[in-house]
Amino acid sequence: MRYDVAIVGAGVIGCAIARELSRSLATVALIERDVEVGLGTSKANSGIIHGGHRAHDGTLKAATEWRGNQLWGELAKELPFGFERVGDLTVAFDEADLAVLHETLEQGRRRGVTGLELWDAERLRREEPNLSHEAIAALHAPSAGVVNPYEACFALAESAVRNGVDLKLEHAVEGIDRDGDGFVVRTSRGDVAARFVVNAAGLFGDAVARMAGASAPTIRARKGEEYLLDKRLAGYVGRVVFPTPSGESKGILLIPTYDGTLMVGPTAHWTADHGADTTDLDTTAAGAAEVFAGARRLAPGIAEADCIAEFAGLRAVADGEDFVIGATEVAGFLNVIGIQSPGLTAAPAIAQDVVALLAAQGLELEPDDAFVPGLEAPVRAAQLDFEELARVARGDPAFGRIACRCERVTEGEVRAAIARGARTMDGVKFRTRAGMGRCQGGFCAWRVMSLIAEATDTPIPAVTKKGGGSWIARVRTDAAERSDAPDAPDGTREVAHG
Amino acid sequence: MAKPAPLDLRRRYDVVVVGGGPAGLGAAVGARDAGAEHVLVVDREPEAGGILQQCIHHGFGLHHFKEELTGPEYAQRFLAQVTERGVDVLTDAYVLDVDRDRRVALLSQDHALAPVDAGAVVLAMGARERTREAVRIPGSRPAGVMTAGFAQKLVNVAGYLPGKRVAILGSGDIGLIMARRLILEGVEVVGVFELMPHANGLSRNVVQCLHDFDVPLHLSTTVVRVHGRDRVDRITVAPVDEALRPVLSRAWDVACDTLLVSIGLIPDNELARHLGVRLDPVTTGPVVDSTMQTSRDGVFACGNTVHIHDLVDMVSQESYLAGSAAGGFVTGRHTPADNVRLTPGANVRYTVPTTISTDREHTVYLRVQKPMTDCVLRLGDVHAKPLRYVVPAEMVTLKVRPRFLEAFHGGTLTVSVETREPASTKGAAA
Ligand SMILES: Cc1cc2nc3c(=O)[nH]c(=O)nc-3n(C[C@H](O)[C@H](O)[C@H](O)COP(=O)(O)OP(=O)(O)OC[C@H]3O[C@@H](n4cnc5c(N)ncnc54)[C@H](O)[C@@H]3O)c2cc1C
Ligand SMILES: Cc1cc2nc3c(=O)[nH]c(=O)nc-3n(C[C@H](O)[C@H](O)[C@H](O)COP(=O)(O)OP(=O)(O)OC[C@H]3O[C@@H](n4cnc5c(N)ncnc54)[C@H](O)[C@@H]3O)c2cc1C
């Protein structure tokens, strides 16, 4: 069959576009190289839905940020993912900063951002007593929020699939050939024919454009390191806190994540090899030093000793720093690339714009009357009280068995996550929080691995952390040679044929 | 294995023990022996025995049973004692919460029904391992960085191997034991890297698990970077200076596909925290008195949930005491309240318990901050015990007998470990 639209890349941008298109009868293939959606930059970021006032006038960022912000509120009503408008503060330490805050305030107001307000030092101290007493003022944007970005990707993709989109995972796009008025997308798992191709390949956006013979700016990777702090500091600040920006970077922030953990970061540095095709997701001692110094400037009580986890993400930066969204000289091939920050915020607005661009190029968009906007929320045992949980467990005993004790995740939740698409340890972790707690999976990893193996009929050595070569366990030296290898004690029998 | 019939769970127990590791089982035995009639042990795993079930090596029970057992054998001895005494053991069940009225909310597929009321509660949830995140190793985050205990479970319980070429960070006992275990499984162990200038595990483990197998132990060395995208492909290690800062100019790379982290355990105390029991910032376990009672009446604690033990025998000793005190609490047996506070002095990180009583004998457990040789353990100026050596890895025990305190009226005693002054005879009368 020939699809109306093939989307290359299932990050938050590809997923949002697919979901938006699934409102119509257009046929859509969402093509992703990884084993699950959203495991690239879209899971490794600050998770902030920006207030809408910050992007510079005249950019595509500014044209999509505030609209995206508003659309997240609507999406959160339809789909199950963590989202809360906690608000943000931009803190000024001197008169020069204060002047910038005034400009940002005006810029936001012009754009229609609601609720912006300047706070004096006294108000700031009252609202956020843990912030530095050297702050002289702050700009408050109640519109800003925090989201669990991976949950948002999973929900967008799942909703798209429910509404007819074909999700093609582990399909790496290797070539794109013209075919009549459309394209044949060559993937590692066969060809996909489509009339239109949308390039949402993130860091590989320029490479994918080249495959189609379309021009694209070079994409470079700017790394951001983030550090999560112990639960002990939950509630230390109530809002996302920014320093007054200087230049492109937003600086080091304090981020009260949706789950209540305080996160500090991100840095912003080109990766060592400068290229987008980088494997450099390293956190570094220098990065940590920069982040904690920056965080302490905002809130002096923050210390590196409280760090419990860290990660890095890569911004896909196009020359000129702006988003690149639109038609190319190859008719029917659209670029949606260079989506760096605030790309997460802008995603739902970008999706609407891309659908409009496709319509302008001749895609028919007949509404799908059977479109279902909602998705049922997964059970979260940790959020239920005893009676509620007991009721669920009576219905399905798997909800009566705890798999992850730190985050109190039941086996039923792990099974449900797998049924909804989790294939890897990270996929289960980011859907259920199993393994995200203090023991970082030490207790539950074996149980989760066994559940994935069992539910997906995969041998244990083929269960991975995040796809590809990220195997976790291998068969015993002797078992590999014997055909009568003993069953694992829990009854899984993969030993022999691993 | 045939599934046993579901337990006929009571609504009320005299003593409910949270956790069925050696601490929980020891406490249950203690509670029955002290006269508690109905005792329940709840464990999250399909089988009680705790961490011992994955410790298939020898070395358990030398003190308690005067013979060398494997972990599962040691657990079996206690399970037999528990069964003999008619204790109810509910496995595959998780204690969600203990409230201030000692109602225990438990979740199990057969009994997710009503909370159980407890006359007394014993907390014995054990410990979790410190992870890579606890020491913050920069670099990438591939598969193949795991705690030694997880690797132990993979090998001993699940029957898989963690990798082909393994490096070990930290010389804790679990890592040492895993070095030997993996070599016996045909895995290459490229070395153990220890930040401190001394090993962190028991000396016997250093000898039997490393020296005997020619595994290099690099002291004053740490891992400064993890490399690899999907799976670990190498690590960078570097020596550290006196301030424990890595000297990067002398760093080198070690090829491996696995990094086991064996850098210690921390008490698992979510339940205790929720219950509002006072926690000790040093041990991170509950503060306990000489009967192992926490700051809440009728709530006792023992085992690794209170402080980390290196020998399970000590866990059994301590938990029997906790259990019998819990039994005494419900049967109304009177125990005189503690009247002496212990404060950690020179080279002492903490003591368990933190208070004692002058009317009976106590065992006080403590850990030192740094190694010392030819030293003396002092209990205020009422008692001094010479020690050949002390190391942080080995818990020190001190028997406090009523006669030491005959003439003591103070209220507070400082516990310290000091180098022995050559010609001094002061207090060394024990
Ligand atoms: C540290 C950091 C912090 C950030 N914080 C924020 C924030 O707080 N708020 C905000 O709004 N934005 C933030 N961002 C930006 C935001 O994360 C990105 O804008 C957004 O995730 C981009 O999504 P994407 O779908 O374009 O890219 P990606 O998530 O990278 O998705 C691209 C997908 O394409 C796939 N792909 C690539 N090549 C191929 C191929 N050949 N074949 C098939 N599939 C392919 C990839 O596997 C990947 O899944 C942050 C970014 C970083 C790095
Ligand atoms: C890997 C390893 C190797 C060791 N090797 C040796 C050795 O060679 N020799 C030696 O003498 N000692 C050894 N030890 C030390 C000794 O085994 C421990 O000190 C001892 O197991 C601690 O007993 P515990 O009962 O406090 O904890 P654990 O054995 O950890 O038991 C705690 C139990 O509580 C359960 N639990 C926790 N929370 C809940 C809840 N909310 N609801 C229900 N159940 C719960 C857990 O699942 C677990 O079964 C080793 C320890 C480890 C971790």
Side-chain angles (χ1 to χ4, degrees):
Chain A
M1 81 169 269
R2 185 168 93 151
Y3 291 95
D4 292 324
V5 183
I7 303 166
V8 182
V12 69
I13 299 298
C15 292
I17 296 170
R19 161 94 179 0
E20 193 58 30
L21 280 170
S22 74
R23 295 174 185 278
S24 75
L25 290 173
T27 54
V28 178
L30 177 57
I31 307 174
E32 169 58 50
R33 186 182 56 179
D34 284 348
V35 48
E36 293 186 41
V37 306
L39 294 189
T41 302
S42 295
K43 94 168 193 302
N45 54 57
S46 306
I48 302 164
I49 300 307
H50 289 288
H53 54 310
R54 211 169 269 117
H56 296 302
D57 275 342
T59 59
L60 278 175
K61 290 180 181 175
T64 47
E65 187 184 34
W66 169 241
R67 251 189 315 132
N69 172 301
Q70 295 299 289
L71 288 169
W72 276 106
E74 284 163 42
L75 280 177
K77 283 185 209 131
E78 293 173 351
L79 301 175
F81 57 83
F83 170 69
E84 199 184 340
R85 285 195 197 279
V86 294
D88 78 25
L89 289 168
T90 315
V91 177
F93 288 95
D94 55 30
E95 292 303 320
D97 285 355
L98 194 55
V100 176
L101 292 197
H102 279 288
E103 280 166 33
T104 314
L105 173 67
E106 283 317 311
Q107 173 171 284
R109 285 196 175 142
R110 277 200 305 279
R111 225 167 264 171
V113 177
T114 47
L116 293 173
E117 207 180 6
L118 265 176
W119 288 356
D120 60 13
E122 191 197 332
R123 172 88 189 265
L124 183 61
R125 186 96 39 103
R126 197 165 63 233
E127 301 273 357
E128 295 287 355
N130 293 319
L131 289 188
S132 166
H133 290 187
E134 270 152 45
I136 59 167
L139 176 58
H140 177 227
S143 52
V146 286
V147 67
N148 278 341
Y150 33 88
E151 287 177 10
C153 284
F154 298 144
L156 286 166
E158 191 178 343
S159 171
V161 169
R162 288 278 175 94
N163 289 301
V165 169
D166 280 346
L167 176 59
K168 295 181 182 296
L169 295 169
E170 292 186 277
H171 282 58
V173 173
E174 291 162 350
I176 300 174
D177 297 336
R178 187 94 241 184
D179 183 30
D181 66 343
F183 301 88
V184 176
V185 180
R186 314 265 179 218
T187 82
S188 53
R189 294 216 179 168
D191 295 347
V192 180
R195 166 113 191 277
F196 297 95
V197 173
V198 175
N199 172 13
L203 292 163
F204 301 89
D206 50 355
V208 169
R210 274 198 301 277
M211 291 176 195
S215 56
T218 304
I219 303 292
R220 292 197 292 158
R222 191 158 55 213
K223 186 167 75 176
E225 299 181 25
E226 311 257 18
Y227 294 80
L228 286 149
L229 307 184
D230 194 272
K231 279 251 162 80
R232 173 181 101 72
L233 291 169
Y236 196 71
V237 292
R239 302 165 181 84
V240 181
V241 183
F242 295 74
T244 301
S246 55
E248 259 331 299
S249 165
K250 297 187 178 79
I252 302 300
L253 325 177
L254 313 179
I255 308 150
T257 66
Y258 177 78
D259 291 315
T261 313
L262 185 61
M263 182 161 84
V264 292
T267 56
H269 297 292
W270 299 114
T271 51
D273 43 2
H274 272 229
D277 194 8
T278 177
T279 54
D280 178 8
L281 280 166
D282 287 11
T283 51
T284 61
E290 180 185 340
V291 165
F292 283 92
R296 273 196 296 273
R297 190 169 160 251
L298 295 172
I302 286 173
E304 209 168 328
D306 279 309
C307 177
I308 53 148
E310 56 197 75
F311 64 84
L314 297 171
R315 305 171 184 84
V317 179
D319 294 343
E321 294 284 343
D322 202 7
F323 298 162
V324 177
I325 301 171
T328 61
E329 65 274 41
V330 178
F333 184 90
L334 273 64
N335 276 334
V336 190
I337 61 178
I339 311 299
Q340 54 159 307
S341 190
L344 178 64
T345 309
I350 292 176
Q352 286 186 345
D353 293 354
V354 169
V355 172
L357 285 168
L358 286 167
Q361 292 216 0
L363 174 67
E364 278 181 45
L365 291 167
E366 202 181 315
D368 177 0
D369 295 334
F371 176 76
V372 182
L375 271 184
E376 68 280 12
V379 171
R380 283 295 168 93
Q383 286 163 16
L384 301 179
D385 68 27
F386 184 64
E387 283 309 319
E388 290 169 323
L389 184 53
R391 198 169 337 107
V392 178
R394 274 193 294 267
D396 177 352
F399 288 94
R401 285 192 295 269
I402 294 285
C404 161
R405 73 197 215 200
C406 303
E407 295 291 323
R408 210 175 261 193
V409 180
T410 63
E411 196 177 302
E413 291 161 82
V414 175
R415 286 182 190 279
I418 298 167
R420 292 174 90 153
R423 288 293 171 274
T424 61
M425 300 297 281
D426 276 0
V428 168
K429 175 164 104 175
F430 286 109
R431 280 178 176 83
T432 64
R433 299 191 59 78
M436 258 191 211
R438 289 195 159 112
C439 90
Q440 292 284 313
F443 285 124
C444 63
W446 171 246
R447 215 176 264 212
V448 173
M449 286 170 75
S450 313
L451 289 170
I452 294 176
E454 185 193 304
T456 61
D457 202 15
T458 309
I460 286 284
V463 173
T464 64
K465 179 174 190 292
K466 50 186 175 180
S470 64
W471 55 277
I472 297 159
R474 63 184 194 89
V475 289
R476 282 163 100 131
T477 323
D478 57 344
E481 282 130 37
R482 272 190 290 138
S483 55
D484 60 338
D487 288 357
D490 64 345
T492 47
R493 302 196 54 246
E494 315 71 19
V495 185
H497 53 261
Chain B
M1 195 180 72
K3 215 175 146 31
L7 185 72
D8 198 1
L9 195 69
R10 302 171 57 86
R11 300 295 296 272
R12 202 199 134 74
Y13 281 87
D14 296 317
V15 178
V16 172
V17 182
V18 186
L25 297 175
V29 171
R32 283 290 290 135
D33 290 356
E37 198 177 336
H38 299 293
V39 177
L40 172 69
V41 175
V42 186
D43 197 278
R44 200 184 66 98
E45 295 296 325
E47 221 181 329
I51 207 77
L52 291 180
Q53 297 292 12
Q54 67 184 55
C55 300
I56 61 170
H57 55 279
H58 283 271
F60 297 85
L62 276 171
H63 297 256
H64 198 83
F65 293 111
K66 308 284 176 250
E67 58 180 305
E68 207 172 359
L69 305 171
T70 65
E73 283 168 353
Y74 190 97
Q76 209 46 51
R77 297 267 173 115
F78 269 92
L79 279 168
Q81 293 186 20
V82 156
T83 314
E84 230 166 67
R85 285 168 175 76
V87 169
D88 281 352
V89 179
L90 179 66
T91 55
D92 242 332
Y94 183 84
V95 173
L96 288 170
D97 199 17
V98 179
D99 74 12
R100 285 161 199 222
D101 304 318
R102 297 194 289 276
R103 302 196 102 191
V104 181
L106 55 88
L107 185 63
S108 108
Q109 47 182 340
D110 303 315
H111 300 283
L113 299 167
V116 174
D117 284 309
V121 170
V122 182
L123 302 175
M125 289 87 69
R128 61 172 188 274
E129 292 179 275
R130 296 178 71 213
T131 63
R132 168 188 177 179
E133 283 69 19
V135 286
R136 308 237 1 270
I137 311 167
S140 58
R141 261 152 303 280
V145 182
M146 59 188 90
T147 61
F150 173 68
Q152 185 176 47
K153 186 163 189 170
L154 264 189
V155 178
N156 291 349
V157 180
Y160 291 91
L161 296 178
K164 288 195 174 95
R165 254 178 87 84
V166 175
I168 301 176
L169 171 63
S171 56
D173 285 313
I174 315 172
L176 300 180
I177 280 161
M178 281 314 290
R180 174 177 64 188
R181 184 78 184 93
L182 289 170
I183 289 170
L184 295 175
E185 286 285 340
V187 173
E188 193 182 346
V189 178
V190 296
V192 174
F193 303 92
E194 169 58 55
L195 177 73
M196 304 303 285
H198 50 82
N200 257 323
L202 301 175
S203 323
R204 70 165 198 229
N205 284 336
V206 175
V207 174
Q208 293 169 9
C209 302
L210 301 186
H211 296 180
D212 291 358
F213 291 88
D214 292 328
V215 175
L217 170 61
H218 302 268
L219 297 174
S220 297
T221 308
T222 192
V223 177
V224 293
R225 197 152 189 141
V226 174
H227 306 265
R229 186 192 171 94
D230 287 350
R231 179 81 195 188
V232 177
D233 58 34
R234 77 202 141 90
I235 56 173
T236 306
V237 300
V240 296
D241 62 18
E242 299 83 64
L244 304 180
R245 280 176 316 228
V247 183
L248 294 177
S249 57
R250 288 168 57 207
W252 77 97
D253 279 4
V254 177
C256 57
D257 64 10
T258 307
L259 175 62
L260 295 193
V261 181
S262 179
I263 50 176
L265 302 171
I266 355 177
D268 213 3
N269 265 309
E270 296 310 309
L271 274 183
R273 187 169 295 124
H274 211 225
L275 183 58
V277 154
R278 205 151 75 80
L279 300 179
D280 180 327
V282 176
T283 59
T284 74
V287 173
V288 288
D289 69 12
S290 70
T291 67
M292 302 306 289
Q293 185 163 235
T294 68
S295 61
R296 281 201 177 271
D297 269 5
V299 178
F300 299 79
C302 55
N304 277 355
T305 219
V306 177
H307 62 137
I308 303 304
H309 299 65
D310 9 272
L311 291 178
V312 72
D313 309 69
M314 311 285 177
V315 172
S316 297
Q317 195 180 332
E318 176 186 290
S319 56
Y320 188 86
L321 175 72
S324 48
F329 181 85
V330 292
T331 55
R333 187 188 67 205
H334 178 72
T335 310
D338 289 344
N339 53 359
V340 180
R341 168 178 295 281
L342 300 178
T343 42
N347 201 19
V348 172
R349 278 187 61 217
Y350 69 82
T351 66
V352 167
T354 52
T355 53
I356 56 173
S357 154
T358 45
D359 61 273
R360 57 188 184 272
E361 182 174 307
H362 302 283
T363 304
V364 173
Y365 304 98
L366 59 101
R367 274 193 199 269
V368 296
Q369 262 143 350
K370 54 178 196 287
M372 254 184 201
T373 48
D374 291 322
C375 41
V376 58
L377 169 57
R378 289 190 196 284
L379 180 64
D381 50 13
V382 303
H383 178 65
K385 174 184 174 183
L387 296 170
R388 204 159 49 77
Y389 74 97
V390 290
V391 287
E394 295 180 22
M395 196 157 80
V396 179
T397 58
L398 170 66
K399 277 252 185 297
V400 180
R401 303 181 202 280
R403 69 178 160 81
F404 299 167
L405 304 170
E406 262 165 15
F408 177 70
H409 301 287
T412 297
L413 281 172
T414 302
V415 184
S416 58
V417 177
E418 291 153 30
T419 37
R420 220 173 307 171
E421 293 152 35
S424 167
T425 50
K426 183 186 165 201

